[in-house]
Amino acid sequence: MTKSKQNTLFVGTLAKGLRVLRAFDETHTELSLVELASLTGLDKSAVQRLANTLHLEGMLDKDPVTRRYRPTHAWLQLAYAYYWSNPLVARAMPKLIDLSQRLGETVNLAELSGDRIIYTARLPCTRTIFAASVPGRTVPALNTSAGQVILATHPSDERDAAIRDWHLHAHTSRTTLDRAEIARQIGTVVQNGFAITHDQMILSEIGIACAIRGPDSRGRAAVHCSVSAHHWDEARIKAKILPWLLDAANAISPILRP
Amino acid sequence: MTKSKQNTLFVGTLAKGLRVLRAFDETHTELSLVELASLTGLDKSAVQRLANTLHLEGMLDKDPVTRRYRPTHAWLQLAYAYYWSNPLVARAMPKLIDLSQRLGETVNLAELSGDRIIYTARLPCTRTIFAASVPGRTVPALNTSAGQVILATHPSDERDAAIRDWHLHAHTSRTTLDRAEIARQIGTVVQNGFAITHDQMILSEIGIACAIRGPDSRGRAAVHCSVSAHHWDEARIKAKILPWLLDAANAISPILRP
DNA sequence: TGCAAGGTATCACTATATGATACTCGCTTC
DNA sequence: GAAGCGAGTATCATATAGTGATACCTTGCA
């Protein structure tokens, strides 16, 4: 009704239910009925039914006193099912663990998802902030070393289109928002085979990434390492981190090199 | 129709859509239409519509050649939202990281969910198997050290009811299925304040757990450590692991001890 | 070449979701 | 402490939106 539904293959009610689930994020950790209604754009009655159904189905907890809804453990179980369906994670995990213990620094598996990077596996270290210690976080690909190193493996026309069109977001005051500058950076990534970025997601953080290539040699994921600028400079990173990072990325890649 | 729907507050269509999502698990990583139909008990047409909707909404990928469905990154994003809604994880994470680096062994945050334990945060080490390296896995509480140590903080009537009624599952040939034996074990856990189990989830694995207590001093979660019986015996565990595990669990507990 | 199994598309029907309305309960506020 | 407000809950007549039977395609196998 609100918008013309595609056709008879589309179940609007289910789509609305998903809107309710997706209303929850890092800034909306528990929501009341009216908050859900305003976030989803659905009317109060609909949200009442939908949220109640999700509650009965074990997808939403309901605080008996405040009447507010929050995600349940079931959300994590879905993630668990996801992990089994993603063969890359299983192949990467042992290498990532090795790498993490060798470096003593935060190590991630990053995958491209549309124009964003999603961190699918994370091995945090002592200094890691919370947002970077749990999996599932997504950030604009162009703003991250992982995104840049993946993009650098793509044909140049796709690359140019991505640099032109993909979304950017200033997570810090020093996030690069200048697309020409990003294009230049990715140019050097193409040469080097690795990417290093500074201060993009949080200040004084350095991100280093190497691409994991598919059988077609196209990158769809990256091994990513995040370190503090207070403890590391580029020279030491290139000497002490990069070789291992490259090794790990290559070991994970299913590519058949002749 | 199939079963009498509760009442007008329940949206059957949404519930069916969730059935489709939950059809995926460790043994069902990608599913065809008819497989989905038989797993969910829904008819082919319904699954067709539901799966198609989930696909259009970005919850299911569809392999263009095999026509099979699989979970998308969105499932992990839900997990990310979950993490922000669970305050325990944020509080526990730094302590768990410390602990993991100090011990060099696999460390988990385990929470009680019905009669099961769900691992909400995991810090794997080199020897960790895949299933134990990704979060969201659930196992019967009675069969795990984490479940036992949590249950040991509950009033004895609840404890007895749980030991009598909760589900068990033999993951290995040596999993304890004798409820009297489990009762005995939990009895000693009550005395000791920690739990140690052998060979319950996989062979030659030793699980050690300490309870995280809520403000009412009731345990709802545990810090859990998993080590190999080839490298550790109980004496060394008690000397080298337990003290740190207890410390971590206490540090995470929001309980106010006088 | 023909069959079987799985995926796709269509359609008339009515069960099912809809959303307006009204009721209840806790709060502030005056 | 009455009045007003905001939020959650419950009910109901209506027609929209999901249903599931059927038929059509496509693919793989014998």
Side-chain angles (χ1 to χ4, degrees):
Chain A
M1 171 127 194
T2 49
K3 52 190 71 168
S4 61
K5 298 310 176 193
Q6 353 275 90
N7 16 0
T8 175
L9 275 286
F10 187 82
V11 182
T13 309
L14 175 53
K16 288 177 197 164
L18 296 175
R19 303 251 292 277
V20 172
L21 291 181
R22 298 210 257 220
F24 294 87
D25 61 25
E26 53 261 79
T27 58
H28 302 99
T29 60
E30 56 168 44
L31 292 168
S32 69
L33 217 49
V34 292
E35 287 168 339
L36 274 172
S38 85
L39 280 170
T40 57
L42 301 170
D43 90 10
K44 192 170 119 175
S45 293
V47 172
Q48 178 189 182
R49 277 190 299 271
L50 264 10
N52 182 248
T53 304
L54 291 168
H55 175 53
L56 292 174
E57 291 293 314
M59 295 299 295
L60 289 178
D61 277 338
K62 184 175 190 174
D63 185 309
V65 29
T66 69
R67 262 83 238 278
R68 310 185 111 233
Y69 294 96
R70 37 177 42 239
T72 68
H73 294 311
W75 295 36
L76 266 194
Q77 293 184 53
L78 289 180
Y80 185 66
Y82 169 82
Y83 278 121
W84 284 92
S85 77
N86 183 340
L88 187 59
V89 177
R91 198 167 58 243
M93 196 63 82
K95 320 277 183 196
L96 295 176
I97 295 171
D98 269 352
L99 191 60
S100 140
Q101 298 197 333
R102 171 158 281 137
L103 302 178
E105 295 287 346
T106 302
V107 166
N108 296 302
L109 178 64
E111 294 187 55
L112 192 61
S113 177
D115 68 349
R116 319 202 102 216
I117 284 295
I118 182 166
Y119 295 104
T120 47
R122 317 205 76 161
L123 297 167
C125 80
T126 321
R127 287 179 293 279
T128 311
I129 62 168
F130 179 68
S133 66
V134 293
R137 177 169 160 97
T138 73
V139 291
L142 291 177
N143 288 325
T144 64
S145 52
Q148 294 188 358
V149 84
I150 292 171
L151 213 44
T153 68
H154 291 192
S156 57
D157 53 336
E158 289 184 41
R159 211 157 65 214
D160 295 343
I163 294 169
R164 169 164 37 84
D165 300 331
W166 284 6
H167 182 251
L168 297 171
H169 180 76
H171 279 93
T172 77
S173 56
R174 304 173 82 173
T175 304
T176 310
L177 296 178
D178 174 3
R179 293 180 189 271
E181 169 64 11
I182 291 175
R184 202 192 58 73
Q185 289 175 0
I186 294 184
T188 75
V189 173
V190 174
Q191 308 293 317
N192 293 338
F194 62 86
I196 298 187
T197 57
H198 295 260
D199 301 315
Q200 294 296 296
M201 304 315 304
I202 57 171
L203 289 174
S204 83
E205 181 226 21
I206 303 179
I208 313 107
C210 298
I212 297 170
R213 289 158 176 266
D216 54 1
S217 103
R218 181 187 172 102
R220 287 186 194 76
V223 181
H224 172 256
C225 179
S226 167
V227 300
S228 160
H230 299 126
H231 299 80
W232 293 85
D233 58 46
E234 289 220 9
R236 271 186 67 233
I237 288 172
K238 284 178 184 160
K240 305 278 187 186
I241 292 184
L242 251 182
W244 302 110
L245 211 58
L246 274 165
D247 263 11
N250 288 335
I252 298 166
S253 295
I255 188 176
L256 309 169
R257 278 186 208 278
Chain B
M1 173 119 191
T2 49
K3 51 191 74 169
S4 61
K5 298 310 177 193
Q6 351 275 91
N7 12 2
T8 174
L9 273 287
F10 186 81
V11 181
T13 309
L14 175 53
K16 288 177 197 163
L18 296 175
R19 304 250 293 276
V20 172
L21 292 181
R22 299 209 256 218
F24 294 87
D25 60 23
E26 54 261 79
T27 58
H28 302 99
T29 60
E30 56 169 44
L31 292 168
S32 69
L33 217 47
V34 291
E35 287 168 340
L36 274 172
S38 85
L39 280 169
T40 57
L42 301 169
D43 89 12
K44 194 170 119 176
S45 294
V47 172
Q48 178 188 183
R49 278 190 298 271
L50 263 10
N52 182 246
T53 304
L54 291 168
H55 175 53
L56 293 172
E57 291 293 313
M59 295 300 295
L60 288 178
D61 278 338
K62 184 175 190 174
D63 185 308
V65 29
T66 68
R67 262 83 236 280
R68 309 185 113 235
Y69 294 95
R70 37 179 40 242
T72 67
H73 294 312
W75 294 36
L76 266 195
Q77 293 185 52
L78 289 180
Y80 185 65
Y82 169 82
Y83 279 120
W84 284 92
S85 78
N86 183 339
L88 187 59
V89 178
R91 196 167 60 244
M93 196 62 81
K95 319 278 184 198
L96 295 177
I97 294 172
D98 268 352
L99 190 60
S100 140
Q101 299 197 334
R102 170 160 281 136
L103 302 179
E105 295 288 345
T106 302
V107 166
N108 296 303
L109 178 63
E111 295 186 56
L112 192 61
S113 178
D115 68 350
R116 317 201 103 216
I117 284 295
I118 181 165
Y119 296 102
T120 48
R122 318 205 77 161
L123 297 166
C125 80
T126 321
R127 287 178 294 279
T128 312
I129 63 167
F130 180 69
S133 66
V134 294
R137 176 168 161 97
T138 73
V139 291
L142 290 177
N143 288 325
T144 64
S145 53
Q148 293 189 359
V149 83
I150 292 171
L151 213 42
T153 69
H154 290 1
S156 58
D157 53 335
E158 291 185 39
R159 211 156 64 214
D160 295 342
I163 293 169
R164 169 166 36 85
D165 300 331
W166 284 6
H167 183 250
L168 297 171
H169 180 75
H171 279 93
T172 77
S173 56
R174 306 174 81 175
T175 303
T176 311
L177 296 177
D178 174 3
R179 293 179 189 271
E181 170 63 11
I182 290 175
R184 202 192 56 74
Q185 289 175 2
I186 294 184
T188 75
V189 173
V190 173
Q191 308 293 317
N192 294 337
F194 60 86
I196 298 186
T197 57
H198 296 259
D199 302 314
Q200 294 297 296
M201 304 314 304
I202 57 173
L203 289 175
S204 83
E205 180 226 22
I206 304 179
I208 313 106
C210 298
I212 297 170
R213 289 159 176 266
D216 53 2
S217 103
R218 182 187 171 102
R220 287 185 194 76
V223 182
H224 172 257
C225 179
S226 168
V227 301
S228 161
H230 300 125
H231 299 80
W232 292 85
D233 59 44
E234 289 219 10
R236 271 186 67 233
I237 288 171
K238 283 178 185 161
K240 306 278 187 187
I241 291 183
L242 252 182
W244 302 109
L245 211 58
L246 274 165
D247 263 11
N250 288 335
I252 297 166
S253 295
I255 190 177
L256 309 169
R257 278 185 207 278

